[in-house]
Amino acid sequence: MTLLSAAAKVRENAHAPYSQFKVGAAIRTVSGRVFTGCNVENVAYPEGTCAEAGAIAAMVAAGEREIAEAAVIADSPDPVPPCGGCRQKLAEFAGPDVPVTLATSAGASTTTTVGALLPGAFTASHMEGS
Ligand code: THU
């Protein structure tokens, strides 16, 4: 199963009754394991979580921390880009060169990198010397 098909499969489980916008995300770690997540909305809207956050939480809970590749899919007109918060979350566990594939359910896709998604990222190095 490709990373994108893993993201498409978990997307079916998304809980998105408020936006009707289901998102699936899949992460492959450097060890080769794949973790998936979908968006989980809440009636108290700010409590909802993104698909990427779910995949990252599953990865960390399993004891892994190094992302080698990520994929995100939604039924959107154009390949779905991670939100700003998720770009920062990805950057916590992925170097700037890590590829991120953005896709639509209709079959369009594009591949970018964590660095291109979050140029000038705030990193731990910015806190050195404080
Ligand atoms: N969403 C994600 O899951 N990931 C993103 O990067 C973009 C937005 C979800 C959050 C919310 O449940 C729905 O899409 C509409 O914003």
Side-chain angles (χ1 to χ4, degrees):
M1 184 184 282
T2 66
L3 203 57
L4 202 49
S5 57
K9 188 165 188 288
V10 72
R11 176 182 169 272
E12 293 168 17
N13 296 335
H15 176 68
Y18 308 106
S19 72
Q20 308 295 333
F21 190 69
K22 293 185 167 194
V23 185
I27 288 167
R28 192 187 315 281
T29 62
V30 290
S31 75
R33 291 175 73 188
V34 171
F35 299 94
T36 59
C38 54
N39 53 332
V40 181
E41 297 183 349
N42 192 281
V43 63
Y45 293 178
E47 299 304 324
T49 51
C50 284
E52 298 90 327
I56 289 168
M59 173 190 76
V60 174
E64 301 240 7
R65 286 166 193 259
E66 222 178 315
I67 297 174
E69 192 185 347
V72 188
I73 190 167
D75 191 11
S76 48
D78 298 307
V80 62
C83 77
C86 285
R87 294 174 193 216
Q88 185 73 42
K89 288 182 177 74
L90 287 167
E92 181 75 13
F93 301 104
D97 295 334
V98 165
V100 184
T101 297
L102 318 175
T104 72
S105 300
S109 74
T110 182
T111 299
T112 181
T113 63
V114 168
L117 287 168
L118 192 63
F122 173 65
T123 65
S125 65
H126 293 105
M127 295 192 293
E128 276 169 20
S130 62

